[in-house]
Amino acid sequence: MAAYILKRLLLMIPTLFGVMLITFAVTQFVPGGPVEQLINEIQGQGVGGEAGGGSVQLYRGDTGLDDEKLKELNSLYGFDKPAHVRFFTMLGNYITFDLGDSYFYQQSVIEIIMSKLPVSISLGLWSFILVYATCIPLGIAKAVRDGTSFDVTSSTIILVGYAIPGFVLGIFLIVLLGGGSFWDVFPLRGLTSDNWDELSWFGKITDYLWHITLPVISLTIGSFAMMTMLTKNSFLEEIRKQYVTTARAKGLPENTVLYKHIFRNAMIPLVTGFPSAFVGAFFAGSILVEKIFSLEGIGLLSYESILKRDYPVILGMLYLLTLLGLFAKLLTDIMYVLVDPRIQFESVNK
């Protein structure tokens, strides 16, 4: 196992390098780079010109700036250096997790991401817990009662939920329960109330949960269908195997057959996806849901950074997400061995 893990760790290096190289190259050709945006912000105009982020070639008559001012702006953002020099300098800094400073927020990228994480963690982690806690028992119940009215009715309900976009459900919940047209039950802004610091510890917990309820519901409903059907199909596949028939023929109680013999094998595809889902929960979110409920998380930050061509934020978040994703894939492989001892890394390496 150690040799396999070492091999996977070494393979992460070229993978991460390739992702960053392609993304960095794309940013050099995207029109409306940060220099252009700064110029147009100063002049009170829209984005003009056809320059990319790395090679700023502005139309002088449009900007009204001389070459000396343009050179100063290029130097301000580091565009006075060749692209390959900037790329390898960036990689050198990223190794020590120095993600640089934002062009527009006047903060380090790490500080910006950390300030947005509470929202994304709240949305993602609670959605993750709610999906797993609901869908696994529901999927098992549907597998045991396959073809019954319970199975058909529950499938219809979760498929209807899957068909409703999260932001549409969010708007509906605001209208229904957020004081839109009917009941004013849940707050609609932020993770906590303005007087949160003055509340008791129980009041703080209640206030936080009250704020997060509607956004989490909006994000979660669409995820129920996939996880529930995956659980159901996984259990159905195991229930129809010969060892289950043999266990029943020996007179074992149905619960013993289900939870002692079937459960472990059926849970393999679910448990092995746990690391990726858990890591993804820290960066989960929806731009529209965050916008609707006035929550400033990673999703909204990514969208605004792309619009503003804030390349340090874009590349910094991509670096962290790619790195976490690669480690999540490695943990998934390790989980396969822990859950199913029949899988051996040694056979994979041969």
Side-chain angles (χ1 to χ4, degrees):
M1 180 184 292
Y4 178 82
I5 294 176
L6 179 60
K7 180 181 177 181
R8 287 292 301 271
L9 290 174
L10 292 176
L11 285 174
M12 289 181 185
I13 298 174
T15 303
L16 190 60
F17 178 85
V19 170
M20 299 307 301
L21 177 61
I22 293 173
T23 308
F24 182 85
V26 169
T27 62
Q28 306 310 298
F29 300 99
V30 177
V35 173
E36 287 180 287
Q37 297 222 3
L38 179 59
I39 291 173
N40 291 311
E41 182 179 343
I42 294 173
Q43 296 179 338
Q45 301 173 356
V47 177
E50 297 297 326
S55 55
V56 182
Q57 298 174 349
L58 301 175
Y59 176 57
R60 273 57 170 182
D62 183 37
T63 63
L65 297 178
D66 56 27
D67 291 339
E68 190 64 29
K69 292 294 184 181
L70 288 174
K71 289 180 180 179
E72 290 180 7
L73 290 177
N74 284 331
S75 178
L76 176 65
Y77 290 112
F79 294 145
D80 56 330
K81 301 175 182 178
H84 68 279
V85 173
R86 289 185 282 114
F87 175 71
F88 285 104
T89 300
M90 179 190 73
L91 289 185
N93 293 333
Y94 279 11
I95 293 175
T96 60
F97 289 94
D98 177 8
L99 305 183
D101 297 325
S102 167
Y103 292 154
F104 294 95
Y105 292 97
Q106 306 302 319
Q107 285 181 279
S108 71
V109 175
I110 286 291
E111 290 178 353
I112 296 171
I113 294 176
M114 293 301 294
S115 68
K116 307 297 183 182
L117 270 183
V119 170
S120 295
I121 291 176
S122 295
L123 292 175
L125 201 56
W126 283 113
S127 299
F128 170 82
I129 293 172
L130 189 59
V131 167
Y132 268 79
T134 303
C135 294
I136 291 178
L138 179 59
I140 295 174
K142 287 173 61 63
V144 174
R145 299 171 178 83
D146 182 40
T148 64
S149 57
F150 169 81
D151 181 36
V152 175
T153 303
S154 59
S155 294
T156 303
I157 294 174
I158 63 175
L159 288 176
V160 169
Y162 178 75
I164 300 176
F167 73 94
V168 173
L169 179 61
I171 295 173
F172 172 77
L173 292 175
I174 289 174
V175 172
L176 184 64
L177 301 173
S181 299
F182 296 92
W183 298 283
D184 188 2
V185 180
F186 293 97
L188 301 177
R189 180 178 295 276
L191 290 179
T192 56
S193 299
D194 295 335
N195 63 335
W196 191 79
D197 292 332
E198 303 172 2
L199 300 175
S200 64
W201 66 270
F202 179 77
K204 290 180 178 180
I205 295 174
T206 304
D207 181 73
Y208 166 75
L209 294 177
W210 217 239
H211 277 78
I212 207 68
T213 298
L214 295 186
V216 168
I217 292 175
S218 301
L219 283 174
T220 303
I221 294 298
S223 303
F224 280 164
M226 182 176 66
M227 182 60 66
T228 300
M229 299 309 295
L230 177 61
T231 304
K232 175 190 173 182
N233 293 334
S234 181
F235 271 80
L236 278 179
E237 183 180 353
E238 294 297 324
I239 288 173
R240 293 164 180 166
K241 289 185 177 179
Q242 184 63 41
Y243 74 89
V244 177
T245 304
T246 302
R248 286 171 173 167
K250 291 180 178 179
L252 295 178
E254 189 62 27
N255 284 340
T256 302
V257 175
L258 181 62
Y259 292 104
K260 185 176 181 180
H261 295 274
I262 298 175
F263 188 82
R264 180 171 182 175
N265 293 328
M267 288 298 292
I268 289 176
L270 302 177
V271 173
T272 51
F274 185 90
S276 297
F278 186 77
V279 170
F282 286 86
F283 292 91
S286 169
I287 297 171
L288 293 175
V289 170
E290 290 180 11
K291 193 70 174 178
I292 290 170
F293 292 100
S294 301
L295 298 171
E296 296 184 4
I298 296 295
L300 193 59
L301 174 64
S302 303
Y303 174 72
E304 292 178 346
S305 299
I306 292 173
L307 289 182
K308 296 177 180 178
R309 305 295 192 267
D310 198 346
Y311 297 142
V313 176
I314 297 171
L315 294 169
M317 286 196 298
L318 179 67
Y319 175 77
L320 292 178
L321 285 172
T322 304
L323 193 61
L324 288 173
L326 291 172
F327 276 103
K329 292 295 183 183
L330 177 60
L331 289 176
T332 298
D333 289 345
I334 296 175
M335 288 291 290
Y336 267 113
V337 175
L338 296 178
V339 175
D340 189 354
R342 294 172 298 179
I343 300 175
Q344 297 294 329
F345 285 135
E346 287 76 8
S347 60
V348 175
N349 290 326
K350 292 180 179 179

